Amino acid sequence: MKSLKIIGFRRFILFLMTSVLCMNIALAQKKVISGVVTGTDKEPIPGVTIIEKGTTNGTVSDLDGKYSLSVEPSAILVISFIGMETQEVPVGNRTILSTQLKESTIGLNEVVVVGYGTMMKKDLSSAISKVSGTVLHNQPMASAASLMVGKSTGVQVTTNSGAPGSDITVRIRGANSFNGNNPLYVIDGVPSDNILGINPNDIESMEVLKDASSSAIYGSRAANGVILITTKRGIKGKTDISFDAYYGLQRVYKKMPMMNAQQQWEYVLKGVANYNRLNPNSPVEPREQGLADYNAGYDTNWQDEVFRIAPVQNYSFSASGGNDKMRFSSNISYYNQKGVVISNGYERYTARFNMDYDLTSYLSVGTSLKGNYSHTDEIPKGDSQSSVMANLLRKMAYEPIYESDGSYANRERPNLIASAELYQGDSYRTAGIGSVYAKIKILEGLELTTTWSADIGIDTGNSFFPSTILGGATRPSSAYSNKWNTWLSENILSYSFDYKKHKLSAILGYSMQETRNFNFNGSASGGPSDLISTMNASTSKDKIYSYKTGWGINSVFARANYSFASKYLVGLSIRNDGSSRFGSNNRYALFPAGSIAWRMNEEHFMKNLTMIDDLKIRASIGRTGNQNIGNYAAQGTYNTGVNYAGQPGVMVGGIPAADLTWESTDQYDAGIDLSMFKNRLTFSMDYYIKRTKGLLFSMPIPGYTGFGSYLTNLGKIENKGVEFSLAGDVIQNEDWNWSAGFNISFNKNKVLSLPNHTPIISTASTEVFYTTNGTFYTQEGHPIGEFYGLKWEGEVYPTDEIAQEHVSSIMGQKPVGGTLKYEDYNKDGKIDSNDRQVIGSPHPKFFGGFNTSVSYKNFDLGMQFSFMYGNKIFNQMRFLSSRGFCYDAARVERVNAWSKPGDITTEHKVLTSTDARDNQFSSKYVENGSYLRLNNLSIGYTLPSNISNILKLSSLRVYLSAQNLFTITQYKGYDPEVNSKASNIHTQGVDIGMIPQVSTYMLGLNVKF
């Protein structure tokens, strides 16, 4: 037995020596090729991919554009780089091979990120928009998604508020659902809502998957579109270190024209006189406190006191590099934005580390790690009774900020300075997204990638109203903590094949994801002192509760893309999702999609049209889903905390819905892509139809059942539209470069069917004192959530007699002079709720943007515009300051308010009390929300390379930048880009209590070492 082992060992040694000898012979036949890759400006290009054609043997140029690669003597090198034309160069007898790449501004070989992979732009047969990370850099916005405004067709971006760290609303090709219309964000392969945690300077690119062919690979979460965010990764070469910084000042670019103290007091006297004329038996006098304040000579401009010039600053430090085995990219940043409203601010710290490591020629591993911490210094906000902004235009000019003893002066409305400065409100977020992967090259073109990812975080916050401000008599306090933990495991088998005229890429994957949440909320009142802001000292624990939730999804998916002769393209995908959120009878669903494209320019009959670089006609069809419902909506639930006779109790809370299933959206898309004059001019057009069926709908049921409603699938919605984009490089030479782009999108939203064909009437409720809320109407054949109220006819009744000749009553009261004149819609001789009608839509007819950039030698100039047309906004802020109550601050236009019989004016009467005849939701306050805005203007100078070299720098650029420099609009509010009720698709287009967008002026610096 021992001799056999010796013989076996000798055979193994002989085999090993033979293998080494063969390898040496093979290596001896190869030769090393080296060179430098430059651009047309003769500058070296780092990160260029050099691959031996037909193999996986390749390398990447370093920061000096240099490369070295061992290849066969007969090899052909494929040299490619994003934005450049790919070259294929035979090696021949050369050992030194340098090449110059030509620019292709929107190149056909540009790499585009798609779901679970990448593709060349020319091989796409679906509708995908790409926004390069370079256009997102160095702009003073906390959310990268908000920087997409005006940059991509079909993507409507609205910044809900100008408050630091505020959320945004993104709609991709319209609203599809009653239960959430936000797109799915995928950050480096991980689905996550933590967009505020991403530093815009970290982003390499953002791709928007708009049609079903591109997005169906994400199945049940893709009905509202998908936004892929890819952060920077390292490349081979010496370590590249960069530092970016900017500092700016912000201001509110527009203030409302409000009455001064004298005008306001005359307004009060006019209200007293009008009230006494209508109520001669119970006359009133001006309020004593108001008279005392007026006589004291106060004249407070509350907007000047609340708003301020506020700084914003950002500092970002990056390092990246690598060698033949390992590449890395890292970044740390600090962002600080003070609000234009006093005491409001936001700061954020972020860190990122991406690494790729080739363990062997067939095994690679890597990681992506991102973390962020943020703190928001809150003020009373939104539409609450104590909100600073909601009460800003209601605060009387003759009221003081301070009493004579130095204390804050409290009147009927909150003292806005006290509310902002004494209110204690903080919110915090600590979050991280991480993933690790391993990639195994099984065979040539066949790879297996396994990834494990996590998205974890915690939101915490607290608030306290001291007794010295309005609303703080009981010293109310609150606290909350929300934790989430998501893990994701994915295994993807990918295959690529490229032989002669045939090119095939395919993936097959399996995904598992689970999310768990823990939530705690508490509120209390009755604290003993303003010095103790926490709930532990409160005598009344008003609400304290906690709960846990969770959901999971399992998926199998596949996609294949085939190209024949780079002329005929076909793409197919399918995903099977199973979600814990749905009923046991419909827990799984298929989401298929397909696309075709024809590159006509490759046909023989077009070869003579040399000005055309690419002409592609494409079409796609597919189905996506929406699972945005409660985690347990399909299950029979129980409500806890239902106590009886001092004993804890539990009762049935929800009806099981075993047949509840997904909302499904079928989308049809047809498009044309055209590129001309060596890719210097590009044009794209898409026409689409999206139909969503099986809307997740809460259906009312009779109360005797013990329930108010049950969840079911009913209703259909359609979105139909067309998109155009045009871009070109007008001038390209050694000194001058000028490029420009334009895009415009049209979308028409329509409800096709509702349960029992019954319209839905919704109210945008608020907590503000004495207001009229907006009413919205959703009906078949119309868009979701149109404004629904009385139609104002543009005038005021001059006399009682004329008013009474028109109608017999207004909201149940006798018509009188000075009252707003409404249309008697149903012609019954009176004005009441039955005269309500559609008075506008919050949905725009079209939106888009255009940009231009010019450079001369080392100077550069860039401008980005956005526009929106055809939408309406309920200006509830204007209503509050124009409703005709004399003890509310009023806009200057109210100086012309009706005051005596015979007056001809468009401004209704003012009284010492609220008059229901004038305080109705009507078209008077539904305004045109169209606008044109200069989002960004930047002027920069890059230091000449000879000077940079003396300073031991790779490059240095300084720039001046201005955001929201001007806005052209007819809207009478602060800002037409507002959406106070963004969370409810039925009540869009309301302006109440939001901090407006700001103009920002910055000085910035970009340094590379």
Side-chain angles (χ1 to χ4, degrees):
M1 181 67 65
K2 183 176 180 180
S3 61
L4 288 175
K5 289 183 178 180
I6 294 173
I7 293 172
F9 179 75
R10 288 175 177 174
R11 287 179 176 176
F12 174 76
I13 293 296
L14 180 62
F15 171 79
L16 184 62
M17 293 177 63
T18 303
S19 300
V20 171
L21 179 62
C22 292
M23 291 174 62
N24 288 333
I25 294 173
L27 289 172
Q29 294 175 345
K30 291 190 174 183
K31 63 180 181 179
V32 176
I33 298 295
S34 61
V36 179
V37 184
T38 60
T40 54
D41 57 359
K42 308 298 177 62
E43 291 293 322
I45 305 176
V48 176
T49 301
I50 301 97
I51 295 178
E52 183 179 358
K53 187 174 181 179
T55 73
T56 58
N57 180 34
T59 187
V60 177
S61 64
D62 62 20
L63 291 177
D64 297 318
K66 297 178 181 180
Y67 75 93
S68 178
L69 183 66
S70 178
V71 299
E72 298 288 345
S74 60
I76 296 176
L77 297 187
V78 180
I79 305 173
S80 62
F81 186 71
I82 295 175
M84 299 288 185
E85 295 181 4
T86 298
Q87 294 187 15
E88 294 189 6
V89 184
V91 171
N93 297 323
R94 291 174 288 188
T95 57
I96 297 177
L97 199 160
S98 297
T99 188
Q100 186 179 92
L101 295 182
K102 297 180 180 179
E103 294 182 0
S104 175
T105 305
I106 308 178
L108 302 178
N109 293 316
E110 180 182 10
V111 176
V112 177
V113 179
V114 297
Y116 303 103
T118 60
M119 291 182 66
M120 293 290 188
K121 185 179 179 69
K122 68 178 182 180
D123 295 330
L124 290 176
S125 55
S126 52
I128 299 177
S129 294
K130 178 176 180 176
V131 179
S132 172
T134 56
V135 303
L136 306 177
H137 294 177
N138 303 313
Q139 295 193 41
M141 301 293 286
S143 172
S146 63
L147 299 175
M148 295 182 66
V149 60
K151 295 182 177 70
S152 176
T153 57
V155 182
Q156 180 186 344
V157 181
T158 303
T159 303
N160 302 329
S161 168
S166 60
D167 290 330
I168 62 170
T169 299
V170 177
R171 297 282 180 266
I172 299 177
R173 292 185 169 181
N176 308 302
S177 174
F178 296 158
N179 296 277
N181 289 276
N182 292 330
L184 172 68
Y185 294 95
V186 181
I187 305 171
D188 285 337
V190 183
S192 176
D193 292 327
N194 188 21
I195 307 304
L196 283 173
I198 302 298
N199 175 14
N201 281 13
D202 280 343
I203 295 175
E204 182 69 32
S205 69
M206 296 177 69
E207 275 82 5
V208 183
L209 313 185
K210 298 185 293 185
D211 68 342
S213 174
S214 59
S215 61
I217 196 70
Y218 289 102
S220 63
R221 293 172 286 179
N224 301 319
V226 181
I227 297 179
L228 306 178
I229 300 177
T230 304
T231 60
K232 297 175 181 177
R233 306 197 76 84
I235 59 175
K236 176 185 175 182
K238 67 178 182 180
T239 301
D240 180 16
I241 299 174
S242 62
F243 175 72
D244 301 285
Y246 61 74
Y247 184 90
L249 298 175
Q250 310 162 96
R251 68 176 181 88
V252 174
Y253 69 88
K254 179 183 179 182
K255 293 182 180 178
M256 297 299 99
M258 304 299 292
M259 292 182 181
N260 59 31
Q262 180 63 36
Q263 292 169 322
Q264 190 69 61
W265 186 249
E266 291 174 0
Y267 189 68
V268 169
L269 297 178
K270 185 183 292 187
V272 170
N274 284 335
Y275 180 87
N276 290 340
R277 184 183 68 86
L278 294 174
N279 302 275
N281 297 325
S282 55
V284 297
E285 295 292 334
R287 293 178 178 175
E288 292 183 5
Q289 182 64 64
L291 180 59
D293 289 336
Y294 170 71
N295 288 333
Y298 297 112
D299 193 355
T300 306
N301 187 321
W302 289 99
Q303 293 182 93
D304 288 348
E305 298 295 334
V306 166
F307 293 134
R308 63 180 175 180
I309 302 295
V312 59
Q313 55 191 310
N314 184 78
Y315 307 96
S316 180
F317 180 83
S318 302
S320 65
N323 52 36
D324 290 334
K325 290 287 187 179
M326 188 271 290
R327 285 83 57 200
F328 77 96
S329 177
S330 61
N331 175 275
I332 56 174
S333 72
Y334 173 70
Y335 175 85
N336 188 304
Q337 181 183 12
K338 300 298 183 183
V340 292
V341 173
I342 57 175
S343 298
N344 185 213
Y346 174 83
E347 65 176 346
R348 179 187 65 198
Y349 301 84
T350 69
R352 172 186 58 84
F353 178 76
N354 292 342
M355 185 270 290
D356 303 284
Y357 191 84
D358 299 328
L359 292 173
T360 67
S361 60
Y362 59 86
L363 177 61
S364 301
V365 296
T367 185
S368 296
L369 302 173
K370 287 168 282 292
N372 65 279
Y373 168 83
S374 64
H375 166 233
T376 304
D377 190 356
E378 306 277 8
I379 59 172
K381 60 184 180 180
D383 56 26
S384 65
Q385 296 176 1
S386 56
S387 167
V388 173
M389 284 302 300
N391 288 287
L392 177 58
L393 304 185
R394 308 178 76 180
K395 193 68 176 165
M396 307 293 274
Y398 57 71
E399 293 179 350
I401 301 174
Y402 303 99
E403 301 286 11
S404 57
D405 61 0
S407 62
Y408 285 108
N410 284 317
R411 300 293 186 265
E412 183 177 8
R413 302 286 178 251
N415 185 315
L416 305 178
I417 309 305
S419 294
E421 293 186 343
L422 299 182
Y423 171 80
Q424 300 177 37
D426 298 279
S427 59
Y428 305 87
R429 167 170 286 192
T430 304
I433 301 173
S435 64
V436 293
Y437 77 87
K439 181 186 294 184
I440 303 173
K441 297 180 181 179
I442 302 172
L443 298 171
E444 183 176 341
L446 182 64
E447 297 180 343
L448 174 64
T449 303
T450 180
T451 307
W452 189 90
S453 309
D455 179 6
I456 60 175
I458 178 171
D459 289 335
T460 59
N462 56 268
S463 68
F464 175 69
F465 283 89
S467 61
T468 49
I469 64 177
L470 196 65
T474 61
R475 299 189 177 95
S477 59
S478 67
Y480 68 88
S481 176
N482 302 321
K483 299 179 182 179
W484 72 90
N485 183 348
T486 297
W487 63 263
L488 171 68
S489 175
E490 293 181 325
N491 295 276
I492 301 172
L493 190 66
S494 61
Y495 177 72
S496 62
F497 174 82
D498 189 353
Y499 179 73
K500 293 184 178 180
K501 295 183 178 182
H502 304 278
K503 187 175 183 179
L504 173 69
S505 63
I507 63 169
L508 175 65
Y510 176 67
S511 172
M512 297 184 296
Q513 180 177 337
E514 183 179 85
T515 298
R516 295 185 178 274
N517 299 86
F518 173 79
N519 298 272
F520 165 82
N521 286 273
S523 62
S525 58
S529 169
D530 289 342
L531 299 177
I532 304 176
S533 62
T534 53
M535 293 187 294
N536 58 299
S538 301
T539 58
S540 175
K541 305 299 189 294
D542 303 324
K543 178 181 65 175
I544 296 179
Y545 67 95
S546 63
Y547 61 92
K548 295 180 179 180
T549 62
W551 66 279
I553 187 169
N554 284 341
S555 309
V556 178
F557 52 90
R559 182 183 62 226
N561 294 92
Y562 173 73
S563 168
F564 177 74
S566 291
K567 185 187 306 182
Y568 309 111
L569 313 175
V570 178
L572 298 171
S573 70
I574 191 168
R575 182 172 180 127
N576 185 32
D577 276 343
S579 172
S580 64
R581 289 178 170 176
F582 290 95
S584 56
N585 296 338
N586 287 299
R587 187 151 290 170
Y588 289 86
L590 282 173
F591 301 95
S595 62
I596 57 174
W598 176 27
R599 295 186 66 212
M600 292 179 61
N601 60 292
E602 294 293 330
E603 297 290 355
H604 180 74
F605 60 81
M606 292 194 66
K607 290 301 181 181
N608 292 330
L609 300 175
T610 56
M611 78 288 293
I612 296 179
D613 302 302
D614 189 45
L615 176 57
K616 183 192 299 180
I617 300 175
R618 50 184 167 77
S620 67
I621 183 174
R623 173 172 294 178
T624 51
N626 185 354
Q627 63 156 11
N628 289 327
I629 61 171
N631 290 335
Y632 310 108
Q635 303 177 26
T637 57
Y638 292 88
N639 292 337
T640 59
V642 185
N643 304 330
Y644 180 76
Q647 298 299 316
V650 177
M651 66 176 290
V652 177
I655 302 175
D659 293 324
L660 192 69
T661 187
W662 326 78
E663 291 180 352
S664 60
T665 298
D666 295 334
Q667 184 171 183
Y668 313 87
D669 185 281
I672 298 174
D673 298 320
L674 174 65
S675 179
M676 302 178 66
F677 309 118
K678 297 188 181 300
N679 298 313
R680 289 182 62 176
L681 179 66
T682 61
F683 170 79
S684 182
M685 185 276 289
D686 277 272
Y687 174 77
Y688 62 88
I689 300 175
K690 296 170 65 178
R691 294 193 180 102
T692 301
K693 62 181 180 180
L695 297 178
L696 296 165
F697 193 85
S698 184
M699 192 71 176
I701 56 177
Y704 59 75
T705 63
F707 304 94
S709 63
Y710 70 97
L711 200 62
T712 185
N713 295 98
L714 291 170
K716 297 179 182 179
I717 295 174
E718 178 184 81
N719 285 277
K720 185 185 298 184
V722 62
E723 305 163 353
F724 300 93
S725 67
L726 179 68
D729 295 311
V730 185
I731 298 175
Q732 270 190 341
N733 58 44
E734 186 174 352
D735 292 332
W736 283 96
N737 285 279
W738 176 26
S739 63
F742 172 82
N743 70 81
I744 187 170
S745 303
F746 300 81
N747 183 77
K748 186 176 182 180
N749 177 268
K750 182 166 67 174
V751 177
L752 299 180
S753 68
L754 291 171
N756 300 323
H757 308 289
T758 303
I760 302 171
I761 300 178
S762 308
T763 301
S765 60
T766 63
E767 298 179 8
V768 177
F769 287 116
Y770 312 119
T771 186
T772 294
N773 294 316
T775 307
F776 300 80
Y777 203 63
T778 300
Q779 60 180 318
E780 293 179 352
H782 289 253
I784 301 172
E786 293 179 297
F787 295 110
Y788 185 63
L790 299 177
K791 183 178 180 181
W792 178 53
E793 295 193 338
E795 59 181 305
V796 169
Y797 294 120
T799 65
D800 297 352
E801 292 77 16
I802 293 177
Q804 291 162 18
E805 286 176 3
H806 181 230
V807 291
S808 61
S809 66
I810 302 176
M811 308 311 293
Q813 299 184 46
K814 183 179 179 180
V816 295
T819 302
L820 292 171
K821 182 180 180 181
Y822 304 112
E823 179 183 336
D824 183 11
Y825 185 60
N826 64 355
K827 309 300 181 185
D828 64 353
K830 59 183 179 181
I831 302 297
D832 56 21
S833 60
N834 295 318
D835 292 302
R836 292 182 297 177
Q837 58 182 293
V838 172
I839 54 177
S841 171
H843 306 287
K845 294 180 180 179
F846 61 81
F847 59 89
F850 57 93
N851 63 82
T852 185
S853 61
V854 180
S855 65
Y856 174 70
K857 293 187 176 180
N858 294 73
F859 293 91
D860 60 85
L861 168 69
M863 289 186 288
Q864 170 70 46
F865 294 84
S866 65
F867 59 85
M868 188 176 296
Y869 177 80
N871 63 302
K872 301 292 185 180
I873 301 174
F874 172 36
N875 191 345
Q876 197 165 5
M877 294 284 284
R878 176 170 159 247
F879 172 87
L880 290 173
S881 57
S882 304
R883 66 192 186 99
F885 178 55
C886 71
Y887 295 109
D888 266 341
R891 296 167 65 104
V892 170
E893 65 200 47
R894 291 291 295 162
V895 168
N896 299 318
W898 186 96
S899 59
K900 63 182 182 303
D903 282 354
I904 304 299
T905 180
T906 58
E907 293 298 324
H908 57 282
K909 63 185 180 298
V910 55
L911 299 172
T912 58
S913 60
T914 303
D915 191 336
R917 289 168 291 198
D918 297 315
N919 281 260
Q920 297 298 313
F921 178 54
S922 74
S923 59
K924 178 177 175 62
Y925 303 103
V926 176
E927 302 178 14
N928 185 355
S930 305
Y931 68 87
L932 169 65
R933 167 170 286 167
L934 177 54
N935 297 91
N936 184 61
L937 170 66
S938 64
I939 302 173
Y941 177 75
T942 301
L943 210 62
S945 57
N946 57 338
I947 300 179
S948 297
N949 293 335
I950 295 174
L951 298 175
K952 305 299 183 181
L953 300 175
S954 295
S955 66
L956 186 151
R957 176 178 179 264
V958 294
Y959 64 91
L960 294 171
S961 178
Q963 280 70 41
N964 299 333
L965 194 59
F966 68 79
T967 302
I968 301 174
T969 183
Q970 296 179 0
Y971 183 60
K972 297 179 181 179
Y974 282 108
D975 185 26
E977 188 182 345
V978 64
N979 196 5
S980 303
K981 302 297 179 180
S983 61
N984 188 346
I985 190 60
H986 292 287
T987 59
Q988 301 290 287
V990 177
D991 183 1
I992 175 68
M994 294 291 104
I995 296 174
Q997 295 291 300
V998 298
S999 294
T1000 307
Y1001 309 88
M1002 301 190 320
L1003 173 65
L1005 177 72
N1006 307 126
V1007 183
K1008 290 185 178 181
F1009 300 93

